[in-house]
Amino acid sequence: MTGLPRVLLFALLLVGADIAAAAAPPVAAVKPGHAAIASAHRLATEAGLEVLDKGGNAFDAAIAVAATLAVVEPQSSGIGGGFFMLIHRAADGREAMIDAREVAPAAVDAKAYADADGRPNRDAATNGPTSAGIPGEPAGLAWVAAHYGKLPLKASLAPAIRIATNGFKPDARFLGRLQERREVIARYPASAALLLAADRQVPKPGWVFRQPDLARTLERLAAQGADGFYRGETARALVDSVRAAGGNWTLDDLAGYRVVEREPIRFDYRGWRIVTAPPPSSGGVALAEIFNILRGYDLAAMAPAQRYHAIIEAMRRAFRDHNEYLGDPDFVKMPLDMLLSPHYADGLRASILPDKATPSAMLPAALAHEPGTDTTHFSIVDRDGNMVACTSTVNLPFGSAFVAGGTGVILNDEMDDFALVPDAPNAFGLRGNQANAPAPGKRMLSSMSPTFVFGKDRIGVLGTPGGSTIITQVFEGILAFMDGKPAATITAQPRYHHQYLPDLVYVEPHAFDDATTKALQDMGYTFKQRDGWGFMNVVTWDLGTGKLDAASDPRGVSGLGKVK
Ligand code: DON
């Protein structure tokens, strides 16, 4: 099953090879012979496995998982939102990030997000149709089917359509998020009709949630591909209801939406190769900067307090840069050569004080972030060694809370990821500048960081939600993977985060033991406990045995990592 001869071949190929050789073509020579999927919902993981059983590959399974998450976890992602999907094709080693991120409509007007005195209008930025970008997810799913799948889109969408039609019982997390967004949902009749009980309250546990309109919208997508969403009946319904509720979408905005395939960011760290998300994600650049700074230390040999000191200072410096420079690469010129350069990192490392926190105020620029708690990530490896890491979002829980009448589609509120009002924080406390200013057709900056980690003997596929903490959580997941931790430990381990401003180390309880906490406090660090860390979903692949391991974050209530 696990193909021992192939593994031996792989081992031979590796003799004397460096990690660059390990990272690319030889991987295609090894096949796990079985498959693994980890996602934030049992029904989505099972939908992916069902499509694999029907002869689909990891990319068909990814369509099934994403579309099912849209149905069963609409607080986190959906066809009214967008995704970044990192893919690795075993047959030829092709790697790409499929960018199905939302874009601003042509009539975007930054003034609509501030009052006459320039004060931010947070309601316009996060609620209702003004907050919604033109969705990318439906085009992204059709793209994956057309370019990478083995099955017709219709077959991969079938489980999602079935569950939307027959219904399912939402879990406690779903109902909790619904409670958080209830007041906004209640503003819009189509949203209330879909998501609330007749008394406009959150339905009781045991409620069976059926979505016949969404099932029909998915059927049109299945039958006609992207045109089934971006043209014709669905497009007209979307535009009519957005405009009737004060939004400014046009049919041309929808018809003009384009998926973009982008070269991933790749960097090496102590014998490992990391392949991750390029702009318009800020994640890959920040991860590269953090690891490039840390390459000057032997983390494993350091006492815990010294190790975390180095890591937190690397995070602080990467976050100072990341919003300053980054935006949609089709619109802004970014100093990527500088940001990704080991020499630049050498300079940053040299500024780290040996036994003392560097107050963020001592470093130029001031960008604050606050993390969030939704969005979704799934990881897949199939029997042939095709791999998918996909992070998908509608931004805040239930996106804009606006359902476009007749479509069952809950629109995203991704416009808030733009720097809509200069220097005003977004929902995650992020303050951007010109690089991330809104413009017609432009993609808003994201922290989503789907990632592959290639080592000589194992590969990791991972990612997580969590707003700006996505980047640091993925960083910690990569470190744990490199340390040889199993998937369940990688998803469960306590998390910590520093994002330059506010100048705090966010921690989960027990992230550091008492002695380490005290030592770090003595160096000048201030800790703040917080909830709302992302639900990480991880698949690991041992190239020696061919064994796959999958785990879904225990912080979620319905997640499932399964090997089959
Ligand atoms: O693209 C982004 O970075 C955000 N829209 C992601 C939002 C998120 O992760 C929400 N909370 N966990």
Side-chain angles (χ1 to χ4, degrees), residues 37-225:
I37 301 179
S39 87
H41 204 288
R42 176 180 60 83
L43 292 172
T45 297
E46 288 170 0
L49 294 171
E50 175 184 326
V51 161
L52 291 176
D53 279 348
K54 291 205 172 109
N57 60 16
F59 312 117
D60 299 305
I63 297 167
V65 173
T68 303
L69 287 170
V71 173
V72 300
E73 202 202 20
Q75 72 271 28
S76 298
S77 71
I79 61 166
F83 64 67
F84 292 150
M85 187 183 289
L86 191 65
I87 58 136
H88 176 101
R89 185 165 60 193
D92 57 359
R94 175 168 175 69
E95 282 171 349
M97 187 183 85
I98 298 167
D99 171 355
R101 181 73 165 163
E102 300 90 328
V103 299
V108 62
D109 177 7
K111 290 197 287 301
Y113 302 96
D115 67 15
D117 298 327
R119 279 188 300 262
N121 178 343
R122 300 295 304 142
D123 193 57
T126 57
N127 299 321
T130 49
S131 68
I134 304 301
E137 179 133 344
L141 297 178
W143 179 276
V144 174
H147 294 84
Y148 297 97
K150 279 165 68 183
L151 301 179
L153 183 59
K154 203 173 161 56
S156 303
L157 291 178
I161 293 172
R162 188 180 66 227
I163 298 166
T165 306
N166 297 342
F168 72 101
K169 289 186 183 162
D171 62 22
R173 194 181 130 231
F174 181 119
L175 298 176
R177 292 280 179 262
L178 209 44
Q179 187 62 45
E180 280 172 25
R181 297 291 271 158
R182 193 194 66 81
E183 279 183 40
V184 186
I185 292 169
R187 281 186 205 168
Y188 306 110
S191 306
L194 180 71
L195 292 164
L196 300 179
D199 61 359
R200 302 197 141 212
Q201 297 302 315
V202 172
K204 303 270 175 287
W207 165 51
V208 177
F209 182 30
R210 294 191 181 84
Q211 302 170 77
D213 285 344
L214 180 61
R216 281 189 288 274
T217 299
L218 286 168
E219 268 161 10
R220 287 191 288 275
L221 179 65
Q224 300 162 43

Side-chain angles (χ1 to χ4, degrees), residues 101 372-375 393 395 414 417 428 445-448 465-467 470:
R101 181 73 165 163
T373 52
D374 252 286
T375 297
T393 188
N395 199 26
E414 224 75 58
D417 278 351
F428 308 109
L445 190 63
S446 172
S447 303
M448 295 191 291
I470 288 174

